[in-house]
Amino acid sequence: MAMRSGAALLAFACAAEAFAPGAMLPASKSVRSAVSKGPSMQLLPLYRDGELQGGSVSYRPGAERPINLDGTYVGDIGFDPLGFSNVIDLRWLREAEIKHGRVCMLAATGMIVQDIATFPGVGKTFGAAKMTELHDVAVKQGAMQQLLVWLGFLEIFGFVAIVQMLQGGERQPGDFGFDPLNCGANPDSLARRQLVELKNGRLAMIATGGMLHVYFFTGKGPIEFLGL
């Protein structure tokens, strides 16, 4: 028991360290310029630059773009009404956006699937629990503690990659070199996929929040709530 608690505590510390404030360095023109003009950024042009994204595109026509949103990153349309890009390193912000988007795409899919199908063994182990109730049941049974340990272990590698990036490495936010289907073989296709991933991630973050609040108020999953 003590060993399990110690492992969980260590994993939690590693996961938390990846979001430590010390890594959120203020963005500077010199650092931003070096990143925007790095080799990997030059090799991959923005998909439909000047139409859907880029320095000449603004979410509000005629509005002045924030100084650090120079149109280099995928999906940049100059939207930063609270001025976060002037306070926090833009690479850190983009890393967080991509990561949360990926997590929420998985979460949104899982929330929908729970209302459509039940995988073998799930009902026997967790009963009819779903959404946040499933989380509570998994915590009581110890399953969530295992997730905490293993995901905390994975966060160590993510933390190392982020530190290298913030220290001036060529790595781009969200890039872990994971491409088993070789989707990045064609630079033009990869440029489009980057924009697709970012937009779907942003939509998934909103959708996940919406589905959770529907469950909080009604106790129903998304498909059940729609009566489909």
Side-chain angles (χ1 to χ4, degrees):
M1 182 65 182
M3 183 177 294
R4 179 191 292 180
S5 300
L9 182 61
L10 176 62
F12 179 77
C14 292
E17 190 177 8
F19 298 93
M24 298 193 298
L25 306 175
S28 63
K29 290 184 180 180
S30 59
V31 172
R32 180 71 186 121
S33 177
V35 173
S36 64
K37 294 178 174 58
S40 54
M41 294 300 287
Q42 289 181 336
L43 292 175
L44 191 62
L46 293 177
Y47 173 70
R48 293 181 66 178
D49 188 4
E51 300 176 44
L52 298 179
Q53 55 184 326
S56 61
V57 179
S58 177
Y59 77 100
R60 190 177 66 181
E64 184 178 353
R65 293 176 63 93
I67 188 172
N68 288 315
L69 296 182
D70 60 3
T72 299
Y73 280 138
V74 175
D76 181 3
I77 57 173
F79 182 78
D80 185 19
L82 299 180
F84 287 122
S85 62
N86 297 324
V87 182
I88 305 174
D89 194 309
L90 197 60
R91 294 168 296 181
W92 174 272
L93 294 174
R94 175 45 60 93
E95 184 82 31
E97 180 181 29
I98 293 176
K99 182 174 184 176
H100 285 89
R102 289 169 176 171
V103 170
C104 285
M105 283 189 280
L106 292 172
T109 302
M111 292 176 184
I112 294 172
V113 169
Q114 288 179 101
D115 278 357
I116 300 175
T118 301
F119 292 100
V122 174
K124 181 179 179 181
T125 305
F126 300 108
K130 59 183 178 182
M131 304 291 282
T132 56
E133 182 186 359
L134 176 59
H135 168 273
D136 296 339
V137 173
V139 169
K140 292 179 181 178
Q141 295 188 1
M144 291 302 295
Q145 287 84 334
Q146 294 184 45
L147 284 175
L148 177 62
V149 171
W150 291 111
L151 292 178
F153 176 73
L154 292 177
E155 284 287 2
I156 297 175
F157 299 98
F159 174 70
V160 172
I162 293 172
V163 168
Q164 291 177 343
M165 176 185 67
L166 294 175
Q167 290 179 343
E170 294 183 0
R171 174 187 179 272
Q172 297 304 315
D175 183 6
F176 290 95
F178 181 76
D179 187 14
L181 299 179
N182 201 28
C183 294
N186 186 329
D188 293 330
S189 298
L190 178 59
R192 180 181 180 277
R193 288 190 175 107
Q194 284 187 327
L195 182 61
V196 168
E197 178 189 36
L198 190 73
K199 286 191 170 185
N200 285 331
R202 289 170 174 173
L203 178 61
M205 286 188 275
I206 297 173
T208 299
M211 288 187 283
L212 281 172
H213 280 81
V214 165
Y215 181 77
F216 292 152
F217 286 110
T218 68
K220 297 180 180 180
I223 303 300
E224 183 185 5
F225 175 75
L226 294 175
L228 299 178

